[in-house]
Amino acid sequence: MTSRVRIACRGIVQGIGFRPFVYRIALDHKLVGFVRNQGDAGVIIVAEGSKVDLESFVNDLHEKKPHLAKYEDFQVEWEKSNNKFSDFGILKSSEAKAGGISYLPPDISICSDCLKDMKNPNDTRYNYPFTSCVICGPIYTTITKLPYDRPHTTMDVFPLCDSCRIEYENPLDRRHHAQTTCCSICGPSLSLFDRKGSLVECSNILKETAKQIQKGKIIAIKGIGGTHLACSATDTQVILRLRTKKGKRKYKPFALISNSITDIKKFAEIENIEEQILTSYRKPIVLLKKRNPFILSKWVSPDLFNVGVMLPYSGIHSLILDEISDPAIILTSANPTDIPMYVENEKILSKAADLADFFLLHNREIHQRADDSVIRLTNSNPVLIRRSRGWVPEPINLPFDLKDEKSLGVGPLLTSTGAIAYKDRCFLTQHIGNVDTLETLDFLKSSLEHLSKLLGISKYTSIGCDLHQNFLSTALAKEYASEFESNLLKIQHHHAHAVALMIDNKLSLTDEIVAIVADGVGYGDDEKIWGGEILHSSYTAYERIYHLEEQIMVGGDRATYYPIRMFAGILSKAMNLENLKKILENKYLDSFPGRYNEIQVLLVQLEKKLNLFETTSTGRILASLSSLLGFCSERTYEGEPAIKLESFARLGSRGKIRFKIPSPSEDTIFTTPLIVQSYEFFSQGKSPFDIALAAHYELANQFANASISYAKENNIRKIGITGGVAYNQFITSYISKKVRQANLEFIEHKNLPCGDGAISCGQAIVSALQNRE
C-alpha cells in the first residue's frame, strides 16, 4: 500500500546541496514525489512509497544530511496518497513560503574537492579561480533575493556553458544546482591593471600578481566579499609604505594569509583548537602567538605577542599563494580608515588608486561586502572579535520566543553591527565598522535592509538604539521609527552588553546575572562616560551596583589618543600641580606632542577645571598604565595602549609586585591607588613587565571580589564579563578562576563578540521585550 509524507524543513537547507541530497536519498528508497525550494529559504518535500521506505527516508534525512545543513524545524505530516507521481524530481523554486524561520548559510570557503579540480592540469577548471560547487563558494555576498537560485544572485549575468549546464542539471553531480558554479568559458574573469587604470598584458595573471608581490609591490585584490591590499610580509620597506598609504595605520597590526598550516607554523605557534578553527569552512583570521624568533617583519604587528593569520578561502587567494615562496603575505582591507571596503571596480580604480601599485579585479558583482571574521583564544575558549564572513547570516538562537515582536538594533558608534530580532532568533549583519561617516552609515542601512528582505520583514514593532543623541546610528533609528511607525527605545550601552552576554549563554527570561562590563566608552544614564561597570542585570532592567572610580580625562577625547593625559589627571589627585609638573617634564616629556607647552596647558586645565570630563572607563585605566610604563604614548588604533599592555605583561613574573588597594567604598572601586603605586614601583626601578602583570591581576581581583560579594548577598548564581576588556587573557581568566572558587557560575561569550559588535543584538532584544511589556 502506498503512503505519502509531506515534510517542511526550515533552518539552513538552501545553498548547501540539500535538494540533490534529498533526491539521492529518495532514489535509494525507490520513492516518487518532489523536493522544492521555497521563497523564505525553506524546503518542501513530498514523497510517496511504502510506509517502511518512507520511514527509512525520513530517518536518513536526519542521519545523513549534508554537514552544513541545520534543521531548526522539521515537520512531518502523513497524508493520503493520490498516486499522481511517476518519479522523484527537483522542482523549480517557488515564491511561496514554508513557514517559520529559514536562512541561508554564510559564504563557505573553497572545499578540498574544488581545490583538487583547480590544481589538476587535466581538469577543465585547472587554474580557474572561481571554481566552486554546491557545498562551497560565496552565498551571502552574492544573493540578491530569495529563493536562492542563480537568477537571484550576481551570477545571473554569467549564463552556463553546455558543459557546466550538464553538471548543474545532473542530480548526481556535486555541482547540481550549485548557484555559483562556472568555468573559464562561462564564468567571471580576472584582469590586472596598473595604478593609471591601464590593462597589464601578461600570460598568467595570478603568477604575475605573485611576482609583483615578491618584488615589493602592493596589489589590490578583489575577492569574495571585498577588496584587499596584499604585499610581502618580510619586506619592511613595503610594509612601512603600506602603513603610510593606508593612513592612521602607524602601528595597527596587519592580517596575514598563508597557504598551509605548515607555513603558519614557521612563524606562529598553533594550539589544536586554533588549527581546527583555521581549517574550518569559515576560515576566519585567528590571532596566534608569534614564534620566537619571528621570521617575518616586526612591522606586521609591532610590539604585540600575537599575529592574525588565515588560510585561503577562495581560489584567487590559493592560486596566488601557490606562487609565493614566503610562508605568508599581508592581506588587509583596501580602503581608508572608517570607509567601507570598495567593491565596485570603478571605485576601486579611482578611490584606491593611491593605495596600490596594481589592481587584480574580476567582473562579478559583490552584492554585500563582508570583512574577514576574527577570533582569538581567551580563557582557553575561542572568542569572536569580529563576526562577519563565514558567520553571517547565521542567527543567534534565543532561549525564548518574541512572538509578534519584530525589533531592530542599529548598534553603537564603534565596531558596529546591526541586528534583527524575530521570533526565537536574532540575526546580526556583517561587521560594519565605526559608524562615524555617511559612507559607513549607508553601509549599515543597506545591510539591515538586505537582511530584512531575506527574512521577509517589511515592518518593525520596535527600534533599539544607544542613549547617545549624536550618534549617526541614533539618527537612523529615528528615521526607521518614523518609517515603520515603530516605538523607539533607547538602550544604555552597558546594559546592551550584559543582555548580549545573557543571550549568548541562553539564559531564561527570569534569570538575573551580575555582569562585569568593562570597555573603553559607553554613554551612561547620568550623561557621563562609563566603562568599568558591575551591573545587576535582567533582560529588561539593570542596576548599577559598582563602578570604577571616576577619573579625569584632561582635554576630553585627546586623552584617549594621548593616554599620558589620563595618567596626569589621575596623578593630580595624589599630589600638587608643581610636583606633577616636575614628573611630567622630567620623565614623560616625549609623551606629549606639544612637549613643554602642552604640559603647561594641561596644568592650567587642571587648575581652572577647564575641558575636564569624568569617566569610569576600564580602557582608560589600562591606557594610563601603558603610558606610565612606557609601552604606548599615542593611541594610533582602537584599544592599542591596553593591547600593548597585555602583550608586555606576558614578559612579567607573578608575585614580584604587590599592591595595597583599599576595599570599595559604597559603589566605587578605587583606581587612583593602582596608578599611583604603579608609578612609585616604576620610579623605584621595578620591572615594568612585572608591574603590568600585577596591575592586570589587581584590577581583575577588584572586579571579582565586588561581584562575588554582591552575588552572594543577593542570591545570584551567575557572574559574567563582557565588553572589549573581556578579550584580555589575564583579566578574564583570573575573574573566571575567582568566581568558580566561590562556587558560582562564570559565564562568557561563545557566539557573539565581547566588544561592541554584539551591542546591536542587546538593543534588539531589550527593545522587543520592553515593547511588549
Side-chain angles (χ1 to χ4, degrees):
M1 182 177 178
T2 302
S3 297
R4 174 173 171 154
V5 69
R6 175 182 290 269
I7 303 170
C9 302
R10 290 179 281 274
I12 300 182
V13 288
Q14 287 191 23
I16 42 85
F18 186 72
R19 287 178 298 169
F21 155 71
V22 173
Y23 176 87
R24 291 192 296 271
I25 297 297
L27 292 189
D28 289 344
H29 292 284
K30 299 179 174 58
L31 303 179
V32 295
F34 68 85
V35 58
R36 181 179 65 207
N37 277 350
Q38 299 296 97
D40 58 355
V43 168
I44 294 293
I45 304 167
V46 175
E48 293 184 353
S50 73
K51 186 75 178 288
V52 172
D53 285 336
L54 285 172
E55 287 175 341
S56 296
F57 171 67
V58 172
N59 182 70
D60 283 351
L61 290 178
H62 284 282
E63 297 297 323
K64 299 178 180 180
K65 71 179 188 295
H67 73 282
L68 294 176
K70 183 186 293 186
Y71 299 145
E72 302 289 356
D73 193 15
F74 191 92
Q75 294 185 1
V76 178
E77 295 180 9
W78 292 92
E79 301 175 341
K80 185 178 180 180
S81 172
N82 57 15
N83 296 309
K84 74 173 186 178
F85 302 112
S86 60
D87 58 10
F88 196 92
I90 298 176
L91 298 190
K92 182 180 179 182
S93 298
S94 169
E95 296 291 336
K97 298 182 178 181
I101 297 179
S102 291
Y103 48 92
L104 291 171
D107 290 356
I108 305 297
S109 66
I110 186 169
C111 70
S112 57
D113 286 335
C114 284
L115 277 174
K116 289 176 184 176
D117 293 346
M118 197 175 64
K119 299 181 182 184
N120 179 2
N122 298 318
D123 195 282
T124 56
R125 290 181 173 85
Y126 178 57
N127 279 344
Y128 184 61
F130 301 96
T131 298
S132 67
C133 69
V134 78
I135 65 165
C136 73
I139 299 174
Y140 186 68
T141 51
T142 63
I143 187 169
T144 57
K145 60 179 287 191
L146 288 172
Y148 180 59
D149 290 317
R150 195 178 182 94
H152 299 160
T153 73
T154 57
M155 291 297 292
D156 64 335
V157 296
F158 299 100
L160 292 167
C161 66
D162 291 343
S163 176
C164 287
R165 180 162 296 282
I166 290 172
E167 294 175 331
Y168 184 85
E169 294 177 349
N170 179 4
L172 302 180
D173 194 284
R174 79 173 207 273
R175 292 192 169 94
H176 178 58
H177 282 215
Q179 307 306 344
T180 57
T181 189
C182 56
C183 69
S184 59
I185 297 171
C186 61
S189 58
L190 289 169
S191 299
L192 186 64
F193 300 89
D194 63 21
R195 64 194 318 170
K196 295 179 180 178
S198 300
L199 196 64
V200 176
E201 299 291 345
C202 54
S203 59
N204 188 313
I205 287 177
L206 295 168
K207 283 188 176 182
E208 181 65 22
T209 299
K211 174 184 172 183
Q212 294 300 333
I213 290 172
Q214 294 186 112
K215 286 175 63 176
K217 302 298 183 182
I218 300 170
I219 316 294
I221 301 174
K222 183 180 177 183
I224 299 301
T227 307
H228 292 92
L229 295 176
C231 74
S232 168
T234 58
D235 186 337
T236 293
Q237 185 176 354
V238 72
I239 297 172
L240 293 176
R241 187 161 66 92
L242 177 61
R243 291 193 173 280
T244 301
K245 285 177 174 292
K246 281 277 287 182
K248 299 183 181 180
R249 290 299 294 255
K250 189 174 181 180
Y251 299 115
K252 188 175 182 179
F254 287 130
L256 299 171
I257 187 166
S258 291
N259 211 14
S260 67
I261 292 293
T262 300
D263 280 338
I264 295 175
K265 287 181 177 179
K266 293 175 182 177
F267 59 85
E269 299 177 10
I270 309 177
E271 296 187 20
N272 288 337
I273 190 170
E274 292 169 331
E275 182 169 341
Q276 292 171 19
I277 296 168
L278 281 164
T279 56
S280 72
Y281 69 85
R282 301 184 191 274
K283 294 287 193 304
I285 296 169
V286 181
L287 300 190
L288 303 173
K289 184 179 179 182
K290 292 177 180 175
R291 187 172 293 280
N292 189 19
F294 186 62
I295 62 172
L296 307 179
S297 171
K298 70 174 185 178
W299 286 99
V300 169
S301 57
D303 294 331
L304 301 182
F305 75 94
N306 55 13
V307 61
V309 193
M310 59 184 153
L311 290 171
Y313 54 88
S314 78
I316 298 173
H317 300 126
S318 181
L319 291 170
I320 291 173
L321 288 168
D322 283 345
E323 306 297 329
I324 299 287
S325 57
D326 290 334
I329 60 172
I330 285 174
L331 201 68
T332 186
S333 57
N335 54 284
T337 303
D338 296 337
I339 299 294
M341 281 193 296
Y342 300 127
V343 293
E344 300 92 355
N345 287 1
E346 288 185 5
K347 281 191 176 180
I348 296 169
L349 288 170
S350 59
K351 301 286 188 180
D354 294 333
L355 298 177
D357 301 307
F358 293 94
F359 299 82
L360 181 64
L361 308 180
H362 60 73
N363 56 343
R364 179 171 65 194
E365 177 192 349
I366 296 172
H367 188 67
Q368 279 287 304
R369 56 173 67 82
D371 285 86
D372 299 315
S373 296
V374 184
I375 285 183
R376 71 166 287 183
L377 288 190
T378 299
N379 198 28
S380 300
N381 296 311
V383 183
L384 280 158
I385 296 175
R386 183 195 295 163
R387 184 181 186 273
S388 200
R389 177 190 54 76
W391 270 265
V392 175
E394 286 182 6
I396 301 297
N397 293 343
L398 305 181
F400 45 78
D401 194 331
L402 295 173
K403 297 181 180 177
D404 295 330
E405 291 294 326
K406 297 182 180 71
S407 64
L408 189 152
V410 295
L413 174 67
L414 304 175
T415 59
S416 188
T417 61
I420 295 169
Y422 172 46
K423 295 187 178 178
D424 58 352
R425 303 286 187 273
C426 186
F427 293 84
L428 280 77
T429 69
Q430 65 271 50
H431 169 76
I432 302 298
N434 297 347
V435 187
D436 54 5
T437 64
L438 292 178
E439 290 89 346
T440 313
L441 180 66
D442 286 343
F443 179 26
L444 171 62
K445 187 175 181 180
S446 69
S447 298
L448 282 168
E449 291 172 359
H450 180 63
L451 199 51
S452 298
K453 183 179 178 182
L454 293 182
L455 293 172
I457 300 175
S458 58
K459 190 172 183 178
Y460 292 92
T461 54
S462 63
I463 311 293
C465 69
D466 198 90
L467 288 179
H468 203 294
Q469 290 285 349
N470 296 328
F471 286 175
L472 290 176
S473 58
T474 303
L476 178 62
K478 292 177 180 177
E479 177 186 322
Y480 280 148
S482 175
E483 177 185 346
F484 300 127
E485 298 179 342
S486 309
N487 290 329
L488 178 65
L489 293 100
K490 297 181 179 179
I491 315 300
Q492 200 280 323
H493 183 94
H494 298 94
H495 184 219
H497 265 305
V499 169
L501 178 64
M502 295 175 74
I503 289 294
D504 216 355
N505 286 272
K506 295 183 170 28
L507 303 190
S508 73
L509 284 172
T510 59
D511 274 320
E512 297 180 2
I513 66 168
V514 173
I516 300 166
V517 192
D519 61 5
V521 59
Y523 194 63
D525 53 26
D526 58 359
E527 299 184 349
K528 291 184 178 180
I529 303 167
W530 292 8
E533 316 305 314
I534 301 179
L535 305 181
H536 178 172
S537 179
S538 69
Y539 278 111
T540 56
Y542 72 95
E543 178 185 359
R544 191 188 192 197
I545 52 180
Y546 286 102
H547 58 78
L548 295 188
E549 178 185 355
E550 290 184 343
Q551 300 291 4
I552 302 167
M553 295 175 64
V554 187
D557 201 40
R558 186 169 176 81
T560 69
Y561 288 97
Y562 298 98
I564 197 66
R565 300 177 72 89
M566 279 300 306
F567 168 63
I570 296 171
L571 216 56
S572 71
K573 290 184 174 184
M575 62 183 62
N576 61 45
L577 295 183
E578 187 60 36
N579 287 337
L580 177 61
K581 178 182 179 181
K582 291 178 182 177
I583 290 172
L584 297 180
E585 289 185 346
N586 293 335
K587 297 186 178 181
Y588 296 101
L589 183 62
D590 290 338
S591 295
F592 292 90
R595 296 174 67 78
Y596 292 104
N597 288 340
E598 185 169 349
I599 292 173
Q600 186 59 42
V601 171
L602 178 143
L603 295 169
V604 171
Q605 288 177 309
L606 285 168
E607 181 182 11
K608 299 185 179 296
K609 295 180 170 51
L610 299 173
N611 201 20
L612 306 180
F613 297 84
E614 291 180 321
T615 181
T616 59
S617 166
T618 311
R620 300 288 78 78
I621 296 301
L622 297 174
S624 299
L625 287 162
S626 193
S627 65
L628 81 87
L629 296 173
F631 300 145
C632 183
S633 60
E634 178 188 5
R635 191 201 86 192
T636 66
Y637 59 89
E638 195 66 37
E640 179 182 5
I643 291 169
K644 287 185 174 177
L645 184 72
E646 180 187 359
S647 282
F648 284 113
R650 289 173 172 264
L651 303 176
S653 300
R654 289 283 308 264
K656 298 289 186 69
I657 302 294
R658 297 190 181 278
F659 292 97
K660 296 180 180 179
I661 310 295
S663 300
S665 173
E666 296 183 354
D667 61 355
T668 301
I669 297 171
F670 296 107
T671 51
T672 297
L674 180 69
I675 299 301
V676 171
Q677 290 174 38
S678 292
Y679 169 71
E680 290 172 347
F681 287 132
F682 191 46
S683 298
Q684 295 164 11
K686 303 288 186 182
S687 163
F689 311 126
D690 294 344
I691 298 169
L693 182 63
H696 276 98
Y697 284 121
E698 182 59 37
L699 191 57
N701 189 56
Q702 294 290 331
F703 272 129
N705 288 344
S707 299
I708 291 167
S709 174
Y710 181 88
K712 288 189 170 182
E713 289 173 4
N714 292 272
N715 198 30
I716 298 173
R717 300 299 305 167
K718 297 178 178 67
I719 297 175
I721 184 169
T722 183
V725 174
Y727 292 119
N728 186 292
Q729 168 64 21
F730 299 116
I731 291 175
T732 294
S733 62
Y734 191 73
I735 292 174
S736 170
K737 179 181 177 182
K738 292 272 291 187
V739 169
R740 288 172 173 138
Q741 286 176 343
N743 293 318
L744 298 172
E745 182 182 347
F746 179 74
I747 61 175
E748 56 195 318
H749 281 287
K750 301 176 178 67
N751 301 299
L752 286 167
C754 301
D756 285 4
I759 289 288
S760 62
C761 175
Q763 291 173 341
I765 299 304
V766 176
S767 63
L769 293 174
Q770 289 184 351
N771 192 57
R772 76 178 192 182
E773 285 184 343

